[in-house]
Amino acid sequence: MFRTALRNVLAHKARLLMTVLAVMLGVAFVSGTLVFTNTISDALQKSSAKGFGHVDVAVTTEGRQDTGDTLGKAPELTRALLDEAAKVPGAADAIGVVTGFTAMADKDGKLLGNGFQSQGGNYWGDKDPRYPLVRGTAPQGPDEILVDSATAKRAGYEVGDTVRLSIDGPVLTPKITGIFTTDDGNVAAGGSLTLFDTATAQRLFGKAGTYDQIDVTAKAGVSQTALKAELDKALPEDVVETTTAQELADDQAEMIASSMSGLKQGLLVFAGIALFVGTFIIANTFTMLVAQRTKELALMRAVGASRRQVTRSVLIEAFVVGAVAAVTGLIAGVGIGAGLRSLMGALDATVPDGPLVISPGTIGAALAVGILVTMLAAWLPGRRAAKIPPVAAMSSVHAQATVKSLVLRNTIGALFSAAGVAVILAATTMDGSDGQAPMGLGAVLLIIGVFVLTPLLSRPLIAAAAPVLRIFGVSGKLARQNSVRNPRRTAATASALMIGLTLITGMTVMAGSLQKSIDKMASAAIRADYVVSMANGNFLSPDVDKKLQQTEGVTATSPLRNAPARIGGETEYVTGVTGSAIGELTDLKVDSGTFEVGGTDVVVDAETATSHGWKAGSTFGASFEDGKKQQFTVAGVYEGNDMIRGIMLDNATLTPHLSDPTDMRVMVKTSDGASDATKDRLEKALGANPGIKVQDRKDISNEIASMFTLMLNMLYGLLAMAVIVAVLGVINTLAMSVFERSQEIGMLRAIGLDRKGIKRMVRLESLVISLFGGVLGIGLGVFFGWAAGELLATKTPTYELVLPWARMAVFLLLAATVGVLAALWPARRAARLNMLTAIKSE
């Protein structure tokens, strides 16, 4: 039986090629994802480990402890603690570390690197072991800095150049006195690192006389754990926390692995979709191969082969095909992994250098996925073939499905579909987070149900195309009959395309609807012409609001100042605003009371008010970081949203309680409204700052929507893999259908149907099957998009369903294009059949 199976594989090389390609693409995606994510993770981990090469134990502070009505003050790492750490037995040296956001502009004034990776720090003394100088000298005073060598090379900076910097708003123009090398992971990933002398760094980052961390190095022969023990004895345990460099490296590695797991899981989901679609093709291929060899298998049964042996012979064929596809897919996956890494470099998302990581797990996963998926898909056709009695197989009485089997299939499909729809509808009535799991379960049930029902659905939907097909005469009529001749095969072929288009359509519906809701939210919540914020989301200096107030054409401003407070024994963040201007700058619906902020009168969003049991006129006490307590009155309750929510009080009341006031953003109203000239005037007033964004309402909406657009474009690219696999499935089905109908095609040629007519028949058949899958996919996608939107609406009141008719038309056109392209080779093959040879074939 083994030799027989191998001979069958070799005898049907051309027929099995499409199956190998389908499995190979899925395996390549899986192995490529694993190679790419493992390579990036390994490079980042090694790079971060190098960054801990100059520290043996890190000393940090314990977090702030809030109790009762009192806001606890976070402990500080002072110079006295640093000196104490340097004196412990086994310590060779101690360095005070200061860090913070530092936006650096290139020579064109644009922000260098990603905002979140643009960091600043301190250079310790005249020779900091953490940052070896390549050239130049250590910085001295507020007008001198050091720049890392990678950033200097990328921006074309040299020692002596003047650069533009921003910490929290005001523009700085220091001179570069030196360039250094570093193993910092952010720099390796394309960020920038700017170093000031310690006193300047402490002042700029709001940490006068204190440090973020103390790095202690051990003397020769002293272990990290021994040094940690000595530091724990010498330093107050209620103030500091000590961690060895090895623990830091392990934590960093775990954090990197965790952050990469999300990307890996996302990519593997799409690889799974491609494999799932490929499974239909494999099952289709083996079903047709087994059907074509029914008499051969019956003869084997007649001469003594058992059912198990027949099934085993089919599975052996599947094993060989799966093994070939898995090996070639693994090789292709290594190329994909390398290509994705190069693509990141081309997109300026640089990562540390390192070798491609091809782990045993990746190899095992590729082989397991390729072989198991193929064998599982081939098992059912093999089992079905083995159950056919030899005499029935010889006379082909088994060929048509019985009424009983069709009724059973349709009943199961209807039950799954009904259950899926019921669960999805129930999920739409739940809260957003609670409804996610039921929604996913319902989607799976519905897709399975529709797939099982697809043979039943194919007849009426394909029949609907009959009037159009009549235009093509005999070819059109034959194409329609061929499409419904074997509903199961048509269903399996169309389902591959259906799944891809379901996901694409569903995500497009959600993205378009979210864009509309964001636009409505921005226009409904904000009357301000502009919102000013830091590029990386950090806090702004109060100086920004002062400069904006002095700018020509500005009529009103309000900084949004965030601060912690103890309310009812819990820590909550309140927002300080300019009470006299906030009503002019926002357009929030007031549920009760008035939207008046001033003195001890505050406004609260409805969700916060409900959680505390407040209403207009209620009073409550709040304690601030200076330890003082104050009573407030709720003047009004408003409807909050994702942009504006929480407790708002007057900055004149809040700021005296804050030691270092900072603003989240500043809202600005101008006399001329939003325009390019006004925006340019505001940017110039802020010194053309590389770290500050000046955005109107449309800019804010577009920025939020751009994240969804990027995700959607990535989705389109990833799902293209599933569409390619679906194309292979259509080609495979048509090619085998042509082979099965060789005699019929020969007869059609003999009675007068020319080669053009044969080609047209096959192409129309392919077009009908593809459009059938497209219609099902778009319909399901719209339903899933609506259902997911209902969940989002519980968290986003402005959510509104938007159907992207133009894009759906493009998707339908894509399905038609798939049908036309997939039919090119099978149609040509059918037209070139020798009619006499075809008539004689069985």
Side-chain angles (χ1 to χ4, degrees), residues 734-735 738 745 749 755-756 758-760 762-763 820-834:
L734 290 172
V738 166
I745 291 170
R749 289 291 314 282
R755 289 186 173 182
K756 285 186 178 179
I758 295 292
K759 283 184 179 180
R760 192 180 301 120
V762 175
R763 287 171 184 163
V820 171
L821 293 176
L824 291 177
W825 178 66
R828 185 169 178 270
R829 185 172 181 271
R832 294 181 67 184
L833 283 175
N834 182 289

Side-chain angles (χ1 to χ4, degrees), residues 244-263:
T244 64
Q246 185 59 53
E247 290 172 334
L248 288 173
D250 292 342
D251 290 344
Q252 185 80 358
E254 186 177 339
M255 186 176 70
I256 291 170
S258 176
S259 63
M260 292 301 295
S261 68
L263 174 63

Side-chain angles (χ1 to χ4, degrees), residues 532-780:
V532 179
S533 60
M534 289 300 290
N536 72 329
N538 269 18
F539 293 117
L540 288 163
S541 164
D543 292 340
V544 172
D545 179 51
K546 293 176 183 176
K547 287 188 178 182
L548 289 170
Q549 289 179 23
Q550 298 165 5
T551 303
E552 179 188 353
V554 173
T555 58
T557 69
S558 175
L560 302 184
R561 190 160 293 168
N562 216 19
R566 292 290 285 180
I567 301 173
E570 298 289 335
T571 301
E572 291 198 36
Y573 278 83
V574 298
T575 302
V577 298
T578 302
S580 58
I582 192 64
E584 184 182 352
L585 296 166
T586 58
D587 190 16
L588 299 166
K589 183 181 177 183
V590 179
D591 291 340
S592 61
T594 60
F595 198 82
E596 294 182 4
V597 180
T600 59
D601 288 340
V602 303
V603 292
V604 183
D605 71 290
E607 187 176 338
T608 303
T610 302
S611 66
H612 286 284
W614 296 339
K615 57 184 179 180
S618 297
T619 60
F620 65 92
S623 298
F624 298 96
E625 64 178 39
D626 61 354
K628 294 181 180 178
K629 188 173 182 179
Q630 195 162 355
Q631 288 293 122
F632 293 96
T633 302
V634 177
V637 177
Y638 67 92
E639 289 187 10
N641 55 51
D642 289 337
M643 299 184 74
I644 300 176
R645 63 173 65 224
I647 302 169
M648 283 194 273
L649 66 156
D650 199 344
N651 274 324
T653 304
L654 175 64
T655 304
H657 295 290
L658 308 179
S659 58
D660 183 25
T662 53
D663 303 327
M664 294 181 290
R665 60 184 71 91
V666 180
M667 304 175 78
V668 183
K669 188 80 172 173
T670 62
S671 56
D672 299 331
S675 67
D676 291 340
T678 303
K679 184 176 182 178
D680 186 56
R681 189 163 61 244
L682 293 176
E683 289 176 342
K684 285 182 179 177
L686 297 172
N689 196 312
I692 288 184
K693 297 185 295 186
V694 179
Q695 299 174 297
D696 59 21
R697 279 172 285 186
K698 188 175 181 181
D699 291 333
I700 294 170
S701 176
N702 289 341
E703 182 181 55
I704 299 171
S706 66
M707 293 185 288
F708 297 108
T709 303
L710 177 63
M711 289 172 60
L712 194 62
N713 289 337
M714 288 177 62
L715 182 74
Y716 287 160
L718 292 168
L719 288 177
M721 183 74 74
V723 174
I724 291 170
V725 175
V727 171
L728 293 175
V730 178
I731 295 172
N732 212 16
T733 299
L734 290 172
M736 291 195 162
S737 178
V738 166
F739 178 82
E740 278 185 356
R741 303 197 320 254
S742 295
Q743 190 178 60
E744 175 190 321
I745 291 170
M747 290 294 295
L748 290 171
R749 289 291 314 282
I751 61 175
L753 190 62
D754 60 10
R755 289 186 173 182
K756 285 186 178 179
I758 295 292
K759 283 184 179 180
R760 192 180 301 120
M761 176 187 73
V762 175
R763 287 171 184 163
L764 288 173
E765 180 183 348
S766 175
L767 184 63
V768 167
I769 292 172
S770 297
L771 285 175
F772 169 54
V775 169
L776 281 181
I778 292 170
L780 280 174

